Amino acid sequence: MLKTHSWMGDENLGVIRATQHAIVTPPDALPIRAQPYRTGPFKRQIIADQINKILMLKFIAPSHNVCASPVVIAPKKNGKSRLCVDYRQLNNITKKDAYPVSRMEDCLDSLGDAQVFTSLDCTAGYWQVP
C-alpha cells in the first residue's frame, strides 16, 4: 500500500481556490501591526526555512500590506516544529460571520478532481502549516 501511494509523500502539493474568504473589520478599526515575538537564532532559522518552503510551494505570496501578525514556533508531537501565525488580535476586531457552516456535500463537490488534501488548523487563533 505504501509503495502504491508513495507519490503522496513527495511534497508536490497543490492549491484549490474553490472558495474566497473575506475578513471584515469595522470601518474605523486601525490595521493590526503587532510586533514580532522575540526568538533566538535557532528559532529564527526555523521560521526562515519554513517561510521559504511555503513561499516556494506558493501557499503564501510576498505582501506589502500594512497589517502584521507575529509568528511562533510550536512543537509537533513527532518532535518537528510547526510555524504558527498569531491572529488573535485580528480575531478580536473581526466581524463574526453570522452565516451557517457550508454543507459538507457542497464542500466536497468543490474539490473537483483533486486527489490529495491538506488542511489548516486554526485552533486557538493560530494559523498552522500542517
Side-chain angles (χ1 to χ4, degrees):
M1 179 115 156
L2 291 175
K3 204 178 267 188
T4 304
H5 296 88
S6 63
W7 59 272
M8 289 183 168
D10 67 0
E11 296 191 21
N12 290 325
L13 304 176
V15 176
I16 297 173
R17 302 197 189 285
T19 60
Q20 289 190 4
H21 178 72
I23 298 172
V24 181
T25 59
D28 59 338
L30 295 174
I32 299 297
R33 295 184 186 137
Q35 291 293 317
Y37 297 137
R38 287 185 61 175
T39 58
F42 180 72
K43 284 192 178 180
R44 277 197 301 273
Q45 186 61 49
I46 292 172
I47 291 168
D49 291 346
Q50 290 196 14
I51 287 174
N52 287 333
K53 177 181 176 182
I54 57 180
L55 272 169
M56 287 183 1
L57 292 170
K58 298 187 179 181
F59 287 167
I60 62 172
S63 172
H64 300 286
N65 196 312
V66 296
C67 299
S69 292
V71 297
V72 295
I73 295 296
K76 290 183 176 183
K77 289 180 182 178
N78 64 7
K80 293 185 178 181
S81 298
R82 171 178 284 160
L83 177 72
C84 304
V85 181
D86 186 354
Y87 287 123
R88 290 180 294 180
Q89 289 183 27
L90 177 60
N91 289 346
N92 288 338
I93 65 166
T94 300
K95 181 181 175 190
K96 304 303 178 232
D97 194 357
Y99 301 101
V101 175
S102 301
R103 293 177 48 89
M104 183 56 67
E105 293 84 3
D106 295 337
C107 293
L108 293 173
D109 289 344
S110 73
L111 298 176
D113 295 330
Q115 296 176 350
V116 178
F117 306 96
T118 187
S119 64
L120 296 177
D121 180 359
C122 297
T123 306
Y126 292 104
W127 176 75
Q128 302 175 351
V129 178

